[in-house]
Amino acid sequence: MPKTKLMTLLGIRPDLIRMSKLLKLLDNCPDIEHTFVHTGQHFSYNLDELFYKQLDISPPQYNLHVGKLNQSLAEQFSSLFLQVELIIDKVRPEYILFLGDTNTVVSSILAARKGIKIIHIEAGMRSFDWRMPEEKNRVVVDRLSDILYVYLQEYAVNLIREGISPTKISIVGNLIVDIIKEWEPKITRESLTSLVGDKKFFFATIHREENIESPEVLTSIIKSFKELNRKYKVELLLPLMPRVRSKLTECNISLDGITTCEPVGFLECLALQKYAELVLTDSGTIQEEACILGTPCIVVRNSTERPQTFECGAGFLSGTTKESILNIASKTLNIKRDSWKHPFGNGTTSEQILADILKRFNTPSSLKPWEDSHIEKAFKIGSKTF
């Protein structure tokens, strides 16, 4: 029996981390001809090659290098579509696997137009905040997908309410639990000596468009970080991604009172979260990781697609004003560490996804309701109408 040709298309650091175990499983599966493509949406060494080494995964067969500092949205999308089309025509996959809600998943439009079946992991997440660029990306890729893997039952409910057939959906838990379960025993407090010494510290990250594109919002967040450092006399460490550093310089925002560093590797990031007194972030991935690691977390956003971290008692949503962040910080610091149980699964999500993919690939075409053509359905309805 010929192997099924599957291409995995990823673009950013959190996706590489989440997919690291599943990438290995796909590479070693005898029934799948797997091609790993990195769009290069993240383009610095610390956000790319370092993670292949730390996570012990093979580098991608192709890197499309679509990410550039200070490029416009149109520039990134045009480069993305051009490069993805070239690689699709070269590899000719039967399926393309996407994860998450980044700009990379928007290329699912191109894949669907070319008749390639789409698999989406992390499907069904909704913030119900249409202002978020990621919310638009999620809706697009979910509507185009033939197979959808969701972390939690409520995400499946979101999809069904939007008219997506339950036959396309599998509830599998969260990939990040697999990764933390494997790597947490290998991180130590001593590994952070060069970053924070042996002192207590807060760990913060910011990167989202809605937080860094507005000078007022960005200024407010940075002022709150400075005040936290002053009020609690605890060092606040803020790694700066290239785009964030550029925006801070452009807006002439001072970082006095905040300890900054270059972007950190995966193991360092896990250690910083595990040993911090408090995590402040606008990253959905770090929001989940902190919850799993047992560290109270403030999500510096106005909405989130991951409310489960608050519902289980691991933190709060703060908004982005200085006053709201400081108010929530006083509440969050009173949360007892490890006083909650995370809802994201038991650490076998990668194996569950591979098993389901193989089951679906090996099902006869006549028994694949998740691949029913919308066009065929439309003609059937139309024949009754006219």
Side-chain angles (χ1 to χ4, degrees), residues 57-71:
I57 55 177
S58 300
Q61 284 98 320
Y62 304 95
N63 191 318
L64 308 185
H65 300 290
V66 303
K68 295 179 175 60
L69 194 60
N70 297 324
Q71 70 185 156

Side-chain angles (χ1 to χ4, degrees), residues 24-44:
K24 295 176 194 176
L25 293 175
L26 292 170
D27 282 343
N28 294 318
C29 180
D31 298 320
I32 293 175
E33 182 180 330
H34 181 231
T35 303
F36 172 27
V37 179
H38 185 13
T39 66
Q41 193 175 322
H42 275 176
F43 49 87
S44 75

Side-chain angles (χ1 to χ4, degrees), residues 40-81:
Q41 193 175 322
H42 275 176
F43 49 87
S44 75
Y45 173 80
N46 276 1
L47 298 177
D48 190 348
E49 294 182 20
L50 176 59
F51 291 97
Y52 305 137
K53 293 181 179 179
Q54 289 193 337
L55 292 164
D56 190 30
I57 55 177
S58 300
Q61 284 98 320
Y62 304 95
N63 191 318
L64 308 185
H65 300 290
V66 303
K68 295 179 175 60
L69 194 60
N70 297 324
Q71 70 185 156
S72 71
L73 188 63
E75 288 174 323
Q76 185 170 100
F77 276 135
S78 60
S79 177
L80 177 68
F81 273 51

Side-chain angles (χ1 to χ4, degrees), residues 140-282:
V140 167
V141 68
D142 282 345
R143 293 299 299 179
L144 294 173
S145 292
D146 299 275
I147 303 171
L148 302 101
Y149 293 109
V150 302
Y151 294 160
L152 299 165
Q153 184 175 357
E154 47 260 57
Y155 299 159
V157 171
N158 288 340
L159 295 173
I160 293 167
R161 284 174 175 167
E162 293 174 7
I164 293 173
S165 171
T167 62
K168 296 184 176 186
I169 304 166
S170 294
I171 304 169
V172 292
N174 195 324
L175 284 166
I176 200 62
V177 182
D178 299 23
I179 310 309
I180 291 178
K181 183 178 179 180
E182 178 181 357
W183 292 99
E184 184 183 5
K186 303 174 185 179
I187 60 176
T188 65
R189 182 64 171 83
E190 289 70 26
S191 66
L192 302 178
T193 301
S194 63
L195 290 169
V196 292
D198 59 359
K199 305 183 294 293
K200 291 183 177 181
F201 66 95
F202 299 150
F203 176 55
T205 75
I206 50 173
H207 77 284
R208 286 191 176 270
E209 184 175 315
E210 63 263 33
N211 283 347
I212 69 171
E213 290 297 330
S214 165
E216 293 77 19
V217 171
L218 185 56
T219 298
S220 179
I221 292 171
I222 295 299
K223 284 183 176 180
S224 75
F225 289 173
K226 291 180 181 180
E227 183 62 19
L228 286 171
N229 169 266
R230 187 198 67 77
K231 181 177 180 180
Y232 295 102
K233 295 180 172 53
V234 174
E235 181 178 355
L236 188 145
L237 180 67
L238 176 66
L240 292 177
M241 296 174 67
R243 186 180 175 199
V244 179
R245 188 181 292 277
S246 175
K247 287 295 178 182
L248 289 166
T249 301
E250 179 184 318
C251 298
N252 196 29
I253 297 174
S254 168
L255 293 172
D256 292 343
I258 298 174
T259 302
T260 64
C261 66
E262 293 299 312
V264 296
F266 168 64
L267 297 180
E268 292 85 355
C269 188
L270 276 192
L272 286 167
Q273 293 178 71
K274 181 174 182 178
Y275 294 106
E277 301 297 307
L278 176 68
V279 171
L280 302 101
T281 188
D282 60 6

